[in-house]
């Protein structure tokens, strides 16, 4: 027995796959908007344990998902490192420019844990507030993805500043990646000690690089981070979510990462029949319903969910999720139907 998500991550046989959704706490829920209003500023919501606990629990109450993901953001880490971070309504995140490489030396000195203490307290509260069968997931951004926000000062279309530095001076760029590997490892270590049972590393911009860049700025730092976490917490499962990378790069990552991570989150573009055949015998896979498919008529939503379950859910090592975060206008009834469909699925004979 034991919690469904933990069992699926060990690729044990389960009666049905566990489910949770990326960004499951968010603006499609009226109760989130209410708490968000109470908090005022988005970062204030992240740093107020009572409110962050409340929004983490909201989707669990409504849909009975098998896992709760800590409510926070990947950008609290650069914030803890001393960078300016703010969220402008309708514009997404903004960061004060990083003046490389002198800034890297300055950031190294930051003590992140006093800044991040409210995040750890949120995890501590969630540990007791969650239903016994629900798994608590902690997370951080991957070194490359966080580096892009730090160097571009926010989101970017072409990652010109980050890529130029990486291609012109890979050794220099390593200093920033190494710093982020170390600080992210410290951060996830503290999250696990505070109660996170699983951690997910979000590499949203993993697919933006050349093969050289992928190897150097995505794969190597991700595996270095996993190594550090596994050294301290060999039993804490790790899920990687490298968004937008080619299937052969996923295979390569799984091969090089044997024993270093436990689950691979697949984005919307990946072929799950292929992933079921090639990846799932080696590692748990998670995904990948297109979040925009949730805007289709409800019977189509159900059909797509069933199709995914039929493709991957009969063998061990499958976690139902979206291929990226749920979006603000998603009809709640469709999410309810998704949850009912997964819950009533019966995995066939293994
Ligand atoms: O999944 C969850 O429910 C947990 C919370 C969570 C948030 N952000 C809350 C959030 C998680 C895991 C993240 C991760 C995150 N944040 C990523 C990686 C995953 C991905 O989506 O690719 C990235 C790139 C960020 C950075 C970030 N934060 C962006 C680009 C934005 C703006 C986009 C948007 O949706 O507005 C945010 C803000 C943000 N983070 C919101 C939420 C609920 C919306 C802010 C609001 O309520 O006004």
């Amino acid at each position: 027995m034991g919690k469904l998500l933990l069992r699926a991550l060990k690729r044990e046989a389960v009666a049905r796959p566990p489910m949770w959704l990326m960004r499951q706490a968010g603006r499609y829920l009226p109760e989130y908007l209410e708490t968000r209003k109470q908090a005022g500023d988005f970062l204030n919501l992240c740093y107020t344990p009572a409110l962050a606990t409340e929004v983490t629990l909201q989707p669990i109450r409504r849909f009975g998902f098998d896992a709760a993901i800590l409510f926070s953001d990947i950008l609290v880490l650069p914030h803890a490192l001393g960078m300016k971070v703010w969220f402008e309504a309708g514009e997404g995140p903004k960061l004060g420019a990083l003046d490389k490489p002198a800034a890297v030396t300055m950031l190294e000195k930051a003590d992140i844990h006093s800044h991040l203490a409210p995040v750890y307290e949120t995890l501590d509260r969630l540990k007791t507030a969650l239903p016994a069968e629900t798994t608590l997931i902690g997370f951080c951004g991957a070194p490359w993805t966080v580096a892009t926000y730090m160097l571009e000062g926010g989101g970017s279309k072409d990652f010109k500043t980050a890529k130029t530095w990486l291609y012109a001076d890979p050794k220099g760029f390593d200093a920033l990646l190494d710093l982020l590997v170390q600080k992210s490892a410290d951060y996830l270590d503290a999250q696990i000690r505070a109660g996170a049972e699983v951690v997910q590393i979000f590499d949203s911009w993993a697919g933006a690089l050349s093969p050289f860049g992928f190897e150097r700025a995505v794969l190597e730092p991700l595996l270095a981070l996993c190594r550090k976490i596994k050294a301290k917490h060999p039993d804490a499962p790790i899920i990687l979510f490298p968004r937008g990378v080619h299937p052969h790069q996923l295979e390569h990552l799984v091969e090089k990462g044997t024993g270093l991570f436990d689950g691979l989150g697949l984005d919307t573009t990946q072929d799950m029949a292929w992933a079921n055949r090639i990846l799932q015998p080696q590692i748990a896979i998670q995904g990948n319903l297109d979040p925009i498919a949730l805007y289709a008529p409800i019977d189509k939503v159900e059909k797509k969910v069933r199709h995914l379950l039929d493709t991957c859910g009969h063998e061990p090592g499958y976690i139902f999720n979206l291929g990226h975060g749920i979006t603000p206008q998603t009809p709640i009834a469709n999410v309810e139907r998704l949850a009912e469909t997964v819950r009533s699925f019966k995995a066939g004979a293994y």
Side-chain angles (χ1 to χ4, degrees):
M1 280 297 110
K3 298 185 185 188
L4 268 187
L5 179 64
L6 297 176
R7 294 180 59 202
L9 281 164
K10 288 187 205 148
R11 291 190 302 114
E12 290 175 10
V14 284
R16 62 147 178 101
M19 64 172 149
W20 66 281
L21 306 183
M22 289 188 280
R23 290 281 186 95
Q24 63 191 22
R27 287 167 294 186
Y28 72 111
L29 294 176
E31 59 269 35
Y32 171 83
L33 294 174
E34 189 54 42
T35 315
R36 172 84 169 74
K37 206 161 65 190
Q38 226 178 304
D41 183 57
F42 174 71
L43 282 176
N44 193 43
L45 177 54
C46 295
Y47 294 134
T48 308
L51 300 181
T53 301
E54 166 58 25
V55 291
T56 304
L57 293 172
Q58 286 168 352
I60 307 304
R61 282 189 204 119
R62 225 185 229 276
F63 308 113
F65 293 138
D66 301 296
I69 180 159
L70 162 74
F71 189 84
S72 182
D73 197 87
I74 62 166
L75 300 176
V76 300
L77 184 66
H79 199 209
L81 289 172
M83 292 189 71
K84 262 177 89 171
V85 177
W86 69 102
F87 285 82
E88 267 166 37
E91 277 193 52
K94 301 265 186 253
L95 291 86
L98 180 70
D99 172 31
K100 43 115 192 168
V104 175
T105 326
M106 178 197 87
L107 300 175
E108 261 163 8
K109 300 199 169 68
D111 164 28
I112 60 166
H113 297 307
S114 52
H115 180 100
L116 294 167
V119 177
Y120 309 144
E121 191 191 326
T122 302
L123 287 164
D124 189 57
R125 288 178 183 223
L126 284 166
K127 222 169 24 184
T128 46
L130 279 172
E133 66 276 15
T134 314
T135 305
L136 180 54
I137 306 176
F139 73 93
C140 71
W144 161 250
T145 288
V146 173
T148 67
Y149 284 95
M150 291 169 76
L151 291 163
E152 307 290 344
S156 171
K157 282 201 170 67
D158 55 12
F159 308 99
K160 201 162 138 207
T161 310
K163 284 189 181 185
T164 302
W165 189 12
L166 168 65
Y167 296 145
D169 175 22
K171 280 214 168 65
F173 197 77
D174 278 346
L176 176 58
L177 292 172
D178 289 348
L179 168 85
L180 288 170
V181 166
Q182 186 56 55
K183 299 289 182 178
S184 304
D186 293 346
Y187 183 35
L188 291 180
D189 167 43
Q191 288 191 32
I192 294 166
R193 284 189 283 112
E197 301 170 275
V198 172
V199 291
Q200 173 154 320
I201 304 169
F202 287 89
D203 215 344
S204 306
W205 304 116
L209 287 162
S210 69
F212 161 80
F214 174 78
E215 195 77 19
R216 184 90 174 216
V218 171
L219 186 139
E220 286 176 12
L222 278 176
L223 296 184
L225 176 51
C226 290
R227 242 176 245 116
K228 283 185 188 290
I229 300 162
K230 287 289 182 197
K232 286 199 173 158
H233 305 281
D235 298 328
I238 303 173
I239 304 171
L240 301 184
F241 178 57
R243 192 165 70 93
V245 312
H246 292 283
H248 68 272
Q249 292 175 317
L250 293 175
E251 276 187 76
H252 179 53
L253 178 64
V254 169
E255 203 175 290
K256 284 199 86 169
T258 308
L260 293 175
F261 66 98
D262 306 272
L264 187 63
L266 299 169
D267 69 73
T268 298
T269 66
Q270 306 296 337
D271 174 353
M272 293 305 268
W274 168 83
N276 167 257
R277 220 171 46 242
I278 305 296
L279 304 179
Q280 202 174 336
Q282 307 172 69
I283 196 146
I285 59 172
Q286 171 178 286
N288 77 343
L289 184 71
D290 189 336
I292 304 305
L294 288 171
Y295 290 83
I298 199 160
D299 56 314
K300 285 271 174 36
V301 171
E302 178 173 333
K303 244 175 120 173
K304 288 189 183 301
V305 171
R306 275 192 200 288
H307 180 69
L308 260 173
L309 290 164
D310 281 331
T311 306
C312 301
H314 291 291
E315 291 81 35
Y318 176 59
I319 301 156
F320 189 91
N321 206 318
L322 305 178
H324 199 194
I326 195 165
T327 60
Q329 272 86 44
T330 302
I332 289 178
N334 290 2
V335 182
E336 279 165 358
R337 180 66 67 88
L338 173 160
E340 286 159 17
T341 308
V342 179
R343 205 170 290 114
S344 61
F345 178 78
K346 288 188 178 53
Y350 287 112

